[in-house]
Amino acid sequence: MKTVIFNDELKVGYPEGFHIMDEEEMKEMGMFDNGPVLCLKDSERHMIISVGLKKVGGFASFVLNQKEIAKKMEGYIGNAQKEYGYRFCDFITRNVGDHPADGFCYNYEAEGVEMYAEAFTWKRGKEIFYFYLYAREELRKKSIQVWEEILASVSECLD
């Protein structure tokens, strides 16, 4: 497994076959974020994984919790993906390294292909990390196995 350091904050492992997407690839995919973002793509597996980071201010960092953030994320993504036939599946929890992350799964359609996606949030103090999986529905089982390996590989960079 290869490793990449994300924003000097996290080490993220990824299996052979994935590559780090460059800015041009991310623009083509419409992947924009309001903070640092890392995107990994495996064309053979038809998977894209992204990791994002947002920093929140004082009061918001105390009142927001992961479950609330995940619910707000679901509403935002649901609205943004309406034109792609967004269908909510369920709220779920997965581990990111040693930390529980809250999120949800959903389906949508892209260029006539049925897709499966998961979105998770992990709050660490004044930082909120976001983890996303995009995969073909027909490859869901294998994609989730790879996704869980990647999530399990995540560790914090210690000073």
Side-chain angles (χ1 to χ4, degrees):
M1 195 171 270
K2 296 178 182 179
T3 303
V4 61
I5 304 295
F6 172 64
N7 200 54
D8 295 327
E9 303 272 350
L10 299 178
K11 291 180 189 173
V12 180
Y14 58 97
E16 202 65 44
F18 279 89
H19 73 273
I20 298 170
M21 293 173 66
D22 61 28
E23 281 188 41
E24 191 60 37
E25 285 178 289
M26 289 191 288
K27 283 180 186 175
E28 287 175 19
M29 299 294 295
M31 295 191 160
F32 299 102
D33 206 357
N34 295 334
V37 65
L38 165 71
C39 291
L40 303 168
K41 181 177 182 179
D42 185 325
S43 297
E44 292 290 315
R45 290 183 181 105
H46 302 283
M47 292 177 66
I48 295 176
I49 307 284
S50 69
V51 181
L53 170 64
K54 290 188 184 177
K55 299 197 184 225
V56 290
F59 185 69
S61 69
F62 290 112
V63 297
L64 291 174
N65 68 50
Q66 287 181 179
K67 287 190 187 304
E68 290 169 344
I69 296 166
K71 285 182 182 176
K72 289 179 189 243
M73 219 167 59
E74 191 279 325
Y76 173 77
I77 290 174
N79 284 334
Q81 294 274 343
K82 274 184 186 175
E83 67 183 274
Y84 301 102
Y86 174 89
R87 292 176 314 284
F88 173 80
C89 295
D90 202 2
F91 285 105
I92 51 180
T93 301
R94 290 200 188 277
N95 283 334
V96 174
D98 295 333
H99 307 279
D102 293 298
F104 61 99
C105 55
Y106 63 98
N107 291 96
Y108 66 100
E109 192 174 296
E111 299 177 6
V113 177
E114 185 67 20
M115 301 296 290
Y116 174 78
E118 292 187 2
F120 288 92
T121 182
W122 167 38
K123 184 174 174 278
R124 182 180 76 175
K126 294 181 179 185
E127 298 174 316
I128 301 171
F129 292 95
Y130 297 94
F131 300 85
Y132 300 96
L133 161 69
Y134 306 95
R136 288 189 175 180
E137 174 60 35
E138 66 183 295
L139 302 173
R140 179 198 293 205
K141 189 174 180 180
K142 287 183 180 181
S143 296
I144 288 175
Q145 290 173 340
V146 174
W147 173 229
E148 287 177 335
E149 287 175 27
I150 292 170
L151 291 177
S153 78
V154 175
S155 62
E156 297 176 72
C157 294
L158 304 175
D159 295 335

